[in-house]
Structures are given as C-alpha cells and as structure tokens.
C-alpha cells in the first residue's frame, strides 16, 4: 500500500529524484490524456496529485491562454514541479492534499485532471465531494487509473521474479490499484457529486528502459520504483543479486528497438459535476 504518508516521505522522495524515468514510463498515457482534454472547453485546470508536474506542464505549454494549478501532498514532488515550471506564467503548484484543498473565488477550475493521482485518498467519497465543491459550475473531471493487477504485466511479470510473492493488498486500500473496479469507482464518484461517468479502456506500453543500455536502465528503474523495489531492498545481497539477474533476463526479452517496455492497462475516467 502507498498512502498519503508514503508520498510525503520515501515514495515522494524517490519519485521526485526519478521524475525523468517516471514521466517516460507514462509517456503514452500522458499523450492520451492530453488528447482527451480536447473534448472539453475550459479556462482553469486543477491537476490532482500532480507529482513532478508533467501533465500540468504539458497543458500549460500547449495552452498559454489557460491557467493550471497542480496540487500534491509530496514536498519533494512539488519542489521538482516548481523548478520545471518556473518559466511558465500560467502555471503554479501548491503543496496540498486535494481532499482538503480550497479554491479561491478566482481559482475554481472548470476541468479537473489527474494522471494516476486519485487512487490514494483515505476517504475517496469525501475527497471527490470536496473537489466538486471547489470546482466551477459547470466542471468536468478527467483522470487515469490502473485496471486490475492481472491486466498489468508491467507489474505482474516483475513480481513473479521475486523469491516469494507478497500477499495481495486490500483492493479498497489506498494504492495504485484501488480504482481498478468500475463497480467501486462509480458509487464513489456519484457520492462525491459527479455524474455522466464514463470509462475508456486504454492499453499502453509502459517504458522501463531506453538510452545507451536499455536493459541496465530497466534494471535501475525496477530496483528503485514500484512494489518489487521495496521487497528487493529487504533481501540479503545474494538474493538481491539473483533477483536482479532475473530482471535483466526479463528486460532483455522485452527490449525492442532500444526500448524496454511491458504492457500496462488503465482506465481513463470522465465525469461532470452535478448541476
């Protein structure tokens, strides 16, 4: 499980240091979300769980006439996002929990977006209710989240290489796969004041390695990011070395034209604020 406290601590620190890799891994998903924003008319954007700011930056660069605010609970990620976006006058980042974030009268977004940033709320219905209250009327919501674990070889193939697979987490607990089940997400959004809920299935190659030595780059990625990295950190040196050898083999099998990637599966969810 990765919850708010994790993002404020070690996970936030790791992702802030590795933002180039994480942005690259989600690059196809980011592009799809940007395409989907063209379905909406908007002037102010709120990026929920903005991380190191990739989606916020892309929106602000591409649409200088709009304003974009990114919020995240991780001080390290917000610092990285601010450094990256310092040259854009229509972009700002705030250290805040979107579940409690309050908009000023002139800063009520008419489009709320998130690239995999909404699955970590302690109380999802309350969080989406707050976001609805802080949004303009009318407003639209667009976010991505992972589908079920078995549909995501990017995770399952690496986890299978561990000496012992960790027990499955509570599917409703905050974490990467907490919004995999449509039947759970729809009531959450409705309770939070959102309607016209739509799910788009989106499959994409999630990139782990590229550059001069994509296999070693992939090994470096998996050794610091994701659930397998946590388990590997607790192994003795010998077991960790054997695990890393297995990752190299997996990366080699999935290296094509200088890029190591494995399949990933997401939902892209859209909704509108209840009038």
């Amino acid at each position: 499980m990765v919850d708010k406290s994790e993002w404020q601590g070690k996970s936030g620190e790791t992702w802030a240091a590795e933002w180039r890799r994480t942005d690259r891994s989600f690059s196809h998903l980011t592009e799809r979300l940007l395409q989907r924003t063209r379905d909406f008319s908007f002037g102010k954007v709120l990026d929920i769980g903005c991380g190191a700011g990739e989606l916020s930056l892309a929106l602000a660069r591409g649409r200088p006439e709009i304003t974009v605010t990114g919020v995240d609970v991780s001080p390290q990620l917000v610092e990285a996002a601010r450094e990256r976006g310092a040259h854009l006058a229509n972009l700002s980042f705030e250290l805040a929990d979107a579940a409690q974030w309050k908009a000023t009268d002139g800063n009520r977004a008419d489009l709320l977006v998130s690239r995999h940033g909404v699955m970590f709320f302690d109380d999802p219905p309350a969080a989406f209710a707050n976001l609805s209250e802080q949004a303009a009327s009318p407003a639209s919501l667009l976010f991505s989240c992972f589908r079920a674990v078995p549909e995501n070889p990017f995770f399952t193939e690496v986890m299978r290489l561990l000496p012992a697979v960790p027990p499955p987490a509570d599917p409703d607990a905050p974490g990467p796969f907490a919004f995999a089940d449509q039947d759970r997400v729809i009531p959450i959004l409705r309770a939070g004041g959102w309607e016209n809920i739509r799910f788009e299935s989106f499959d994409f190659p999630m990139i782990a390695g590229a550059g001069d030595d994509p296999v070693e780059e992939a090994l470096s990625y998996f050794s610091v990011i994701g659930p397998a990295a946590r388990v590997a950190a607790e192994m003795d040196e010998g077991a960790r070395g054997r695990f890393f050898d297995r990752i190299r083999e997996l990366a080699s099998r999935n290296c094509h034209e200088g890029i190591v990637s494995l399949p990933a599966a997401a939902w892209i969810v859209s909704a509108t604020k209840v009038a």
Side-chain angles (χ1 to χ4, degrees), residues 9-86:
K10 183 62 177 177
S11 292
E13 181 180 336
T14 299
W15 280 65
E18 300 288 345
W19 65 260
R20 292 172 181 84
R21 286 176 174 166
T22 56
D23 282 354
R24 182 183 63 194
S25 69
F26 284 105
S27 58
H28 291 271
L29 179 60
T30 301
E31 181 56 35
R32 180 58 184 154
L33 285 168
L34 289 172
Q35 291 173 356
R36 286 294 311 276
T37 64
R38 297 168 191 158
D39 297 339
F40 306 96
S41 298
F42 54 92
K44 292 182 174 64
V45 177
L46 177 68
D47 186 358
I48 305 159
C50 65
E54 176 70 2
L55 185 58
S56 294
L57 285 155
L59 284 164
R61 282 193 304 262
R63 298 180 182 233
E65 75 282 4
I66 70 169
T67 60
V68 182
T69 301
V71 297
D72 202 283
V73 298
S74 166
Q76 301 95 330
L77 284 166
V78 169
E79 181 180 357
R82 285 172 174 166
E83 289 177 1
R84 297 175 68 190

Side-chain angles (χ1 to χ4, degrees), residues 6-274:
E6 282 285 318
W7 286 115
Q8 291 172 323
K10 183 62 177 177
S11 292
E13 181 180 336
T14 299
W15 280 65
E18 300 288 345
W19 65 260
R20 292 172 181 84
R21 286 176 174 166
T22 56
D23 282 354
R24 182 183 63 194
S25 69
F26 284 105
S27 58
H28 291 271
L29 179 60
T30 301
E31 181 56 35
R32 180 58 184 154
L33 285 168
L34 289 172
Q35 291 173 356
R36 286 294 311 276
T37 64
R38 297 168 191 158
D39 297 339
F40 306 96
S41 298
F42 54 92
K44 292 182 174 64
V45 177
L46 177 68
D47 186 358
I48 305 159
C50 65
E54 176 70 2
L55 185 58
S56 294
L57 285 155
L59 284 164
R61 282 193 304 262
R63 298 180 182 233
E65 75 282 4
I66 70 169
T67 60
V68 182
T69 301
V71 297
D72 202 283
V73 298
S74 166
Q76 301 95 330
L77 284 166
V78 169
E79 181 180 357
R82 285 172 174 166
E83 289 177 1
R84 297 175 68 190
H87 62 292
L88 292 169
N90 63 333
L91 174 63
S92 63
F93 294 99
E94 297 182 23
L95 178 61
D97 184 347
Q100 285 93 39
W101 180 79
K102 302 300 179 186
T104 60
D105 287 341
N107 196 32
R108 294 188 179 273
D110 47 7
L111 177 63
L112 286 69
V113 300
S114 182
R115 187 191 72 184
H116 277 45
V118 299
M119 304 96 73
F120 305 96
F121 293 129
D122 292 331
D123 185 344
F128 281 101
N130 179 65
L131 290 167
S132 176
E133 290 171 3
Q134 304 312 312
S137 294
S140 300
L141 174 67
L142 178 72
F143 68 81
S144 64
C145 56
F146 283 121
R147 301 205 307 268
V149 174
E151 298 180 71
N152 281 274
F154 188 89
F155 298 95
T156 59
E157 292 300 306
V158 175
M159 295 300 284
R160 285 194 187 104
L161 302 179
L162 292 168
V165 178
D170 177 357
D172 293 344
F177 296 95
F179 274 26
D181 183 357
Q182 294 183 69
D183 291 337
R184 177 173 185 251
V185 175
I186 290 171
I188 287 172
L189 294 178
R190 286 177 175 163
W194 300 92
E195 60 185 359
N196 301 320
I197 302 162
R198 301 288 184 270
F199 286 75
E200 173 196 348
S201 176
F202 184 70
D203 299 321
F204 65 103
M206 199 161 173
I207 299 170
D212 295 336
D213 193 339
V215 170
E216 287 301 310
E217 175 72 8
L219 170 62
S220 180
Y221 181 102
F222 286 121
S223 68
V224 296
I225 296 170
R230 293 187 179 197
V231 180
E234 298 174 358
M235 294 177 184
D236 61 52
E237 186 175 348
R240 186 162 52 248
R242 292 187 293 274
F243 173 56
F244 286 172
D245 285 342
R246 292 192 288 272
I247 288 182
R248 287 188 181 94
E249 294 174 4
L250 176 68
S252 295
R253 294 197 303 272
N254 290 276
C255 184
H256 305 286
E257 298 182 354
I259 294 176
V260 175
S261 67
L262 284 91
W267 294 121
I268 295 181
V269 184
S270 59
T272 56
K273 178 177 174 178
V274 174

